[in-house]
Every structure is written in C-alpha cells, then in structure tokens.
Amino acid sequence: MERTTRIQFVADGSYGRRIFTHLAEDVDTISCSIDWNKLLDYAAAAIEKTDGRRCVFTKKVVFIGTNPEFDEENLIYYRSLEDAGIQRIAFPLRATQSKSGRPTLKEDAVDTSLVFGVAKDFYTAKTEDRFDWLVLVAGDGDLVPLVQGLATEGVRTLVIYYDFSTPYGVTRASQALLEAAAQVISLENLRRERVDPAAKAIFVASGREQDGFFQKRRIVLRKRQDAPSADDIEAAIRETPSRDDEGWVLVAQLGKTLEYLSGSKLPYGVKLKTEIEKYPGKFETKELPAYSVRLI
C-alpha cells in the first residue's frame, strides 16, 4: 500500500482576512485575491519535495471570530475558503467590560480554540490516521507551543505568512513562530514571483462582481474641500484597528485613517482636533498620554 504524507490545514481566520483584505485593497493599487486551492497545492508540492511522498489533506479548517455585521462584510472571503473546501469554525465576538466599564468587543478565544482543535484532532485519531504535517496560516507567537508540541510527536509544521504595511500599521509574523516551523512560505515572496507559474496562479485578479463587497470593507469618504463630518469621523474611528480595548484612537492615527479612506489629504487649514470637539455629544476626548478620541 502506498505510503502517503497526511496533512492537516489550519488557518487563523482573522489573520487570513487581513491578508485577503490587504491584497484586495492596498497592494500596488491592483486588486487581487487568493486562490486557496492553488495555495494548498503549492504547500503540498513543497512538502512532497521534502518527504518524497504523495500528500493528502486529511482536514482543512479555518478558525475565526464572527458577528452578523462582520459576516456581511466578509462574504467574499468566506466564499473563497468554501470554494477550496475549507471548513469555517466560527466563534462569536462577545461584548465585555473594559477597565473603564464601557462595553467593548473581543474575539472569544480563537487562538486557544485553534490550539485545542488541532491537538484534539491529533491525539484522538488512531496512530495510523494522525497527520504528519500541519500547514498553518498564521502569524501569532502564541501558536509557538503548538508547533513545538507537535514537533515532539514527529509532526512538522509549514507556516504560511505575509508581512505587509498599510497606513494603519505593520502586520508581521512572529519571528519565534517562523523559527519553530520546519518550513515557511512567504506570501509576499510568492506575490512577487515572476517566473514560477504555480506561485503566480495563487493570486487572482479580482472581478468587477466584488466591487460591492470592497466598497463595504473600505468606507470611501466623499472627496471634497470642506472638513470631515461627524459621520466621517465616526467611520474612521470604527475602521482604525489600532484603537485600544477601551475604544480610544490616537487622533494622529485617526487623521491617517481619514486620509486613507478618502484617498486625499485633509483640506488645508482643517484641524482634526477642532472638528472632533464640535460634536461633544458624539465623541469623548482625552489629552493624556496623547490626544485621543472615542465614540460615546
């Protein structure tokens, strides 16, 4: 009987969503998406080259936090995963109380559930049915113990990661996670590949049918000469991922978000602090440690 290499594919859904959104909106002004089937084929080929055996995927799952509004904004992303037969395991975004007593949203133990799910799949399977490789789309250093623990059982991990920058900040995979893996694949390197057809096939130009989705994901403000409205400011606060657990956003970062969403600089002479303070019933501000704003 032919000996095959058994692979389990697992993705951190939030990390994958950031990659998907960045490719769709921010890369060289060219909108593209990931063909997950092609990416799986590429990863399997890399492992086959290492093991010298044919590879089979025993399971393909993505763990992700979710709520109704979030789901509506991510339909194209979800569909791309489903087309590749990747099962979505969703965990609700739950309301919690911040230190100030204000409600905030946090992702409910997705990383922990990912670790538990992978470990359960491995240890509850018969020895002959256990996976030999874990292909992991993730960048979080919290997953290092999982990779190291599987290594003690003879399971090797291939980490797929993507380092990129946006006006919001930098997304960079944990160095410890990359060092713990047996192999790594950089999506940034694959995206820049000019010769290998298997690598080039992973990235697909987005079609016109996706325009409506990306208009929802990226709130485009009106290009105009007057100051941003209260609705514009609110939209930018909600779209700034660097806000803290209590909802505070540095006004300096908020200005970058407004410019990013509108596609243009703020009008000459407009002071964002002044515009925010026009709406005391809508926004709360603080001076220290740096001037910040949040929704009331």
Side-chain angles (χ1 to χ4, degrees):
M1 184 176 179
E2 179 189 13
R3 174 74 170 94
T4 59
T5 294
R6 300 170 64 83
I7 304 173
Q8 179 150 321
F9 173 87
V10 177
D12 174 342
S14 296
Y15 183 74
R17 176 184 58 80
R18 290 197 299 274
I19 294 171
F20 194 84
T21 302
H22 180 260
L23 290 171
E25 298 178 1
D26 296 323
V27 176
D28 303 331
T29 70
I30 300 172
S31 176
C32 64
S33 61
I34 294 176
D35 184 324
W36 294 96
N37 275 314
K38 298 296 185 183
L39 181 57
L40 290 169
D41 290 344
Y42 191 91
I47 293 172
E48 285 178 3
K49 185 175 180 179
T50 299
D51 279 10
R53 295 193 298 263
R54 184 173 65 88
C55 292
V56 294
F57 284 94
T58 59
K59 190 173 185 178
K60 297 178 288 187
V61 295
V62 57
F63 290 80
I64 193 166
T66 178
N67 67 23
E69 181 179 356
F70 185 87
D71 289 347
E72 178 66 22
E73 293 177 347
N74 286 277
L75 292 177
I76 299 296
Y77 172 51
Y78 292 156
R79 192 176 304 136
S80 73
L81 295 167
E82 292 166 1
D83 288 345
I86 300 171
Q87 177 190 2
R88 178 158 46 102
I89 300 177
F91 297 85
L93 291 170
R94 59 186 173 87
T96 62
Q97 291 294 320
S98 65
K99 294 178 181 179
S100 67
R102 292 168 56 89
T104 185
L105 289 175
K106 285 190 175 181
E107 200 162 315
D108 193 8
V110 173
D111 284 350
T112 302
S113 299
L114 186 157
V115 171
F116 177 79
V118 172
K120 180 180 178 183
D121 287 340
F122 182 80
Y123 287 108
T124 59
K126 296 179 181 178
T127 301
E128 62 271 20
D129 293 334
R130 290 176 173 176
F131 53 88
D132 306 297
W133 279 80
L134 175 69
V135 172
L136 179 64
V137 178
D140 196 330
D142 289 345
L143 299 176
V144 169
L146 170 66
V147 174
Q148 293 175 333
L150 288 173
T152 65
E153 299 289 350
V155 176
R156 287 174 285 182
T157 300
L158 185 157
V159 170
I160 299 174
Y161 72 101
Y162 186 32
D163 291 343
F164 60 88
S165 300
T166 73
Y168 300 135
V170 177
T171 293
R172 187 177 297 279
S174 160
Q175 186 65 31
L177 179 64
L178 300 182
E179 291 175 356
Q183 290 190 37
V184 299
I185 291 176
S186 165
L187 284 174
E188 174 64 7
N189 289 344
L190 294 186
R191 190 182 68 81
R192 296 183 182 279
E193 173 61 52
R194 299 173 61 186
V195 178
D196 185 354
K200 292 168 64 177
I202 294 169
F203 303 96
V204 182
S206 298
R208 295 289 300 174
E209 68 276 4
Q210 294 182 335
D211 287 353
F213 166 76
F214 293 123
Q215 286 170 5
K216 289 181 180 178
R217 281 294 310 143
R218 181 176 180 180
I219 302 173
V220 181
L221 304 179
R222 298 183 300 279
K223 289 187 177 181
R224 56 188 186 179
Q225 297 303 311
D226 57 334
S229 68
D231 288 342
D232 293 338
I233 296 170
E234 178 181 351
I237 291 173
R238 295 185 185 280
E239 286 292 306
T240 302
S242 61
R243 62 183 181 276
D244 66 19
D245 289 345
E246 297 181 357
W248 291 106
V249 174
L250 292 174
V251 169
Q253 181 63 59
L254 183 67
K256 293 179 181 179
T257 304
L258 278 165
E259 291 176 353
Y260 173 67
L261 295 176
S262 67
S264 61
K265 296 286 187 181
L266 290 173
Y268 179 77
V270 169
K271 302 295 184 184
L272 189 51
K273 178 178 178 180
T274 301
E275 299 306 315
I276 291 170
E277 292 176 348
K278 289 179 180 178
Y279 308 101
K282 195 173 185 66
F283 306 115
E284 180 182 2
T285 62
K286 65 176 183 178
E287 295 284 348
L288 298 173
Y291 192 73
S292 304
V293 60
R294 68 180 177 186
L295 300 174
I296 293 178

